[in-house]
């Protein structure tokens, strides 16, 4: 029996790599639905190749273009379109690979409709990790991590009660060896030149500030129900060790492999089975030679500590962190602010923020919107900081 799957964000970096994984495991999956933001050309090509029953795209305008071209496919649009995919009776597994806050509502809707989730979108857990994990338990739904570090930890966690701590590795990003001055003057091109991973723009900029690692710490806290005190971050520039778990007896179990997102994506899609996939190259210990490990430089990359702080404080502090950071990253991508302003803006909004305890999902969505407006106004009022 083929597993019936939907990919939300099939035109992105994770989405396209997921389709490559599925191409190789062709007889195991049936693609019921795909979704895109604005890349009409690519989703049209995917529609021709995979012949899904449903497609969703961001705007009504693009949906009408697609509907004319593909009369046999149900074409949906906007947030409602994503939610309708999540309600589809046939779909068993949904890969949530949209970027940013767009992942939250579909993930919740998918859980409520008892779909297993392969979760790439980390912002969902940063914003509403407690609610999402509780709902998943209530509806008996699996949340399978796609983020490489979390896939690694998931694979290393054999006996949760005996865990001492988890170790999340970080490549250190493009500015690992840069001076403070170089970071101060970093332009968009250099921030988007990640040494190890080819990813969407938002996560690539987050990797350069190390906010990505901070978001991953919060993601790990929720996914694995582990306290912030027991999460360590280690910089490992070669990105062969994807993360590790240390047990009470001192044993450390790490997951190792070439830096390829195909592997964690595939494991989330085929779990609990392992299959021969498209990666034919395996990690070669001898060729790899020296593996290095460093303490994160909190002076140069203060975002990581801010994320720990947001996570530990709880309430809606991580909603604030996520929204302010995302808006600041968008402003940087639009060349409205400097690279180092991303952190300054996020920190400024965070410091003046009053959190809500035990938020509902509606509280979270309202706070998120409020913080985004505040951040945009702050950026407008300050110009270049
Ligand atoms: P991309 O920017 O490459 O892709 C994002 C996808 O989401 C695209 O298909 C895009 O459509 C779609 N999209 C964006 N905004 C919306 C919206 N408002 N409504 C509907 N669809 C939307 O991002 P990545 O693939 O790199 O990342 C996706 C998620 O996975 C992120 O949350 C990221 O943090 C996480 N992740 C990514 C990793 C990676 O290696 N790339 C690693 C670990 C986690 P379109 O392009 O058509 O506009
Ligand atoms: Mg990651």
């Amino acid at each position: 029996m083929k597993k019936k799957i939907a990919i939300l964000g099939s035109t992105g970096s994770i989405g396209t790599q997921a389709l490559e994984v599925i191409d190789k495991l062709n007889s195991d999956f049936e693609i019921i639905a795909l979704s895109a933001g604005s890349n009409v050309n690519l989703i049209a090509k995917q529609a021709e190749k995979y012949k899904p029953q449903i497609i969703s795209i961001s705007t009504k305008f693009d949906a009408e273009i697609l509907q004319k071209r593909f009369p046999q496919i149900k074409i949906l649009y906007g947030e409602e379109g994503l939610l309708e995919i999540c309600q589809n009776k046939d779909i068993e597994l949904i890969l949530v690979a949209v970027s940013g806050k767009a992942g939250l509502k579909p993930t919740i809707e998918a859980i409520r409709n008892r779909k297993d989730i392969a979760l790439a979108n980390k912002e969902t857990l940063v914003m509403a990790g407690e609610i999402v994990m509780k709902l998943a338990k209530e509806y008996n739904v699996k949340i399978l991590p796609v983020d490489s570090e979390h896939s690694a930890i998931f694979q290393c966690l054999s006996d949760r009660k005996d865990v001492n701590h988890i170790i999340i590795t970080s490549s250190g990003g493009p500015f690992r060896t840069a001076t403070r001055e170089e970071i101060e003057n970093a332009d968009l091109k250099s921030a988007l030149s990640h040494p190890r991973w080819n990813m969407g723009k938002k996560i690539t900029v987050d990797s350069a500030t190390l906010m990505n690692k901070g978001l991953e710490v919060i993601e790990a806290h929720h996914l694995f129900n582990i306290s912030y005190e027991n999460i360590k971050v280690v910089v490992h520039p070669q990105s062969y060790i994807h993360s590790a778990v240390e047990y009470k007896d001192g044993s450390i179990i790490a997951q190792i492999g070439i830096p390829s997102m195909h592997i964690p994506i595939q494991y989330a899609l085929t779990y609990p089975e392992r299959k021969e996939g498209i990666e034919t190259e395996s990690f070669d210990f001898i060729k790899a030679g020296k593996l290095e490990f460093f303490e994160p430089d909190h002076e140069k990359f203060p975002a990581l500590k801010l994320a720990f702080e947001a996570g530990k404080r709880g309430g809606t502090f991580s909603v604030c962190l996520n929204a302010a950071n995302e808006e600041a990253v968008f402003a940087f991508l639009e060349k409205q602010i400097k690279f180092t302003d991303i952190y300054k803006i996020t920190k400024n909004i965070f410091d003046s923020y009053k959190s809500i305890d035990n938020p509902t999902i509606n509280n979270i969505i309202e706070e998120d919107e409020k913080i985004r407006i505040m951040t945009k106004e702050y950026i407008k009022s300050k110009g270049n900081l």
Side-chain angles (χ1 to χ4, degrees):
M1 275 277 275
K2 290 188 175 195
K3 207 183 265 182
K4 294 188 170 62
I5 182 172
I7 301 179
L8 308 186
S10 63
T11 48
S13 155
I14 293 286
T16 50
Q17 292 183 86
L19 288 170
E20 288 162 13
V21 165
I22 290 173
D23 285 345
K24 175 75 188 188
L25 303 174
N26 186 271
S27 51
D28 293 349
F29 294 97
E30 180 182 344
I31 295 173
I32 306 286
L34 295 174
S35 97
S38 56
N39 195 339
V40 186
N41 288 339
L42 184 53
I43 196 85
K45 278 192 195 135
Q46 293 176 348
E48 270 162 16
K49 179 168 176 187
Y50 298 101
K51 305 190 174 19
Q53 296 170 20
I54 315 171
I55 280 181
S56 184
I57 191 143
S58 279
T59 66
K60 189 177 178 195
F61 181 83
D62 287 340
E64 283 169 358
I65 294 174
L66 287 170
Q67 193 66 80
K68 275 195 197 116
R69 195 156 155 201
F70 299 102
Q72 73 286 12
I73 299 178
K74 185 171 189 181
I75 309 283
L76 307 169
Y77 63 90
E79 192 178 272
E80 285 304 313
L82 295 180
L83 298 183
E84 195 173 326
I85 290 176
C86 297
Q87 292 153 4
N88 180 282
K89 294 255 175 320
D90 294 335
I91 296 167
E92 299 161 80
L93 174 67
I94 300 191
L95 170 60
V96 182
V98 292
S99 52
K101 71 164 185 173
L104 178 62
K105 285 190 193 168
T107 304
I108 289 180
E109 190 66 16
I111 296 173
R112 289 200 174 122
N113 285 277
R114 298 182 194 279
K115 315 294 180 199
D116 285 332
I117 315 270
L119 188 61
N121 178 276
K122 62 192 77 185
E123 292 87 349
T124 291
L125 290 179
V126 173
M127 291 172 77
E130 254 165 61
I131 295 175
V132 168
M133 295 310 288
K134 212 165 128 194
L135 266 184
K137 208 167 169 189
E138 190 184 325
Y139 285 88
N140 197 18
V141 155
K142 292 189 198 74
I143 307 282
L144 301 158
V146 169
D147 213 343
S148 58
E149 297 78 0
H150 304 75
S151 173
I153 295 162
F154 183 64
Q155 294 176 62
C156 298
L157 268 180
S158 53
D159 200 346
R160 288 178 188 224
K161 72 181 190 332
D162 291 328
V163 169
N164 240 356
H165 56 256
I166 60 175
I167 300 136
I168 300 182
T169 53
S170 158
S171 70
F175 302 137
R176 183 178 67 84
T177 56
T179 62
R180 289 183 79 155
E181 234 184 356
E182 284 165 343
I183 295 175
E184 191 70 40
N185 296 317
D187 62 5
L188 184 57
K189 191 164 170 252
S190 55
L192 288 177
S193 310
H194 197 278
R196 292 275 170 248
W197 304 97
N198 189 3
M199 310 177 286
K201 284 184 183 166
K202 188 307 180 142
I203 181 175
T204 305
V205 174
D206 282 346
S207 300
T209 58
L210 287 208
M211 179 59 91
N212 181 51
K213 215 40 60 180
L215 300 180
E216 290 185 354
V217 166
I218 301 173
E219 183 185 9
H221 163 80
H222 292 298
L223 268 176
F224 306 118
N225 191 20
I226 190 147
S227 71
Y228 288 100
E229 287 71 22
N230 291 330
I231 302 177
K232 294 185 179 174
V233 173
V234 172
V235 174
H236 165 44
Q238 291 79 15
S239 299
Y240 289 131
I241 297 184
H242 298 301
S243 279
V245 176
E246 184 184 301
Y247 288 90
K248 276 181 186 161
D249 59 0
S251 265
I252 295 181
I253 302 186
Q255 190 254 348
I256 302 177
I258 57 163
S260 159
M261 283 309 295
H262 287 130
I263 297 171
I265 292 171
Q266 179 173 309
Y267 191 59
L269 299 189
T270 62
Y271 178 84
E273 286 180 62
R274 288 188 188 273
K275 302 256 175 169
E276 252 178 58
I278 53 173
E279 291 302 346
T280 46
E281 180 197 346
S282 60
F283 173 70
D284 184 326
F285 281 83
I286 311 296
K287 270 197 204 145
K290 197 161 98 180
L291 302 190
E292 295 171 295
F293 304 95
F294 304 98
E295 176 106 27
D297 186 333
H298 295 291
E299 297 280 308
K300 280 198 316 196
F301 305 106
L304 178 57
K305 269 205 173 145
L306 190 64
F308 264 103
E309 173 81 29
K312 281 182 190 168
R313 285 203 203 172
T316 44
F317 275 112
S318 54
V319 178
C320 173
L321 178 90
N322 183 62
N325 173 66
E326 196 166 301
E327 290 303 327
V329 170
F330 289 156
F332 173 67
L333 289 172
E334 297 288 321
K335 298 190 176 168
Q336 291 168 17
I337 60 168
K338 288 195 334 185
F339 178 74
T340 43
D341 292 339
I342 299 171
Y343 172 75
K344 285 184 197 157
I345 290 163
T346 308
K347 170 93 169 105
N348 187 290
I349 299 289
F350 185 84
D351 284 345
S352 62
Y353 180 65
K354 288 200 173 49
S355 161
I356 298 179
D357 289 336
N358 304 314
T360 62
I361 204 71
N362 283 339
N363 292 146
I364 288 173
I365 290 164
E366 277 166 22
E367 288 302 290
D368 175 77
E369 276 166 14
K370 196 177 88 188
I371 296 153
R372 283 172 198 272
I373 292 169
M374 271 167 53
T375 311
K376 282 186 214 159
E377 279 172 1
Y378 180 72
I379 293 170
K380 231 198 242 162
S381 71
K382 290 278 170 187
N384 231 350
L385 300 178

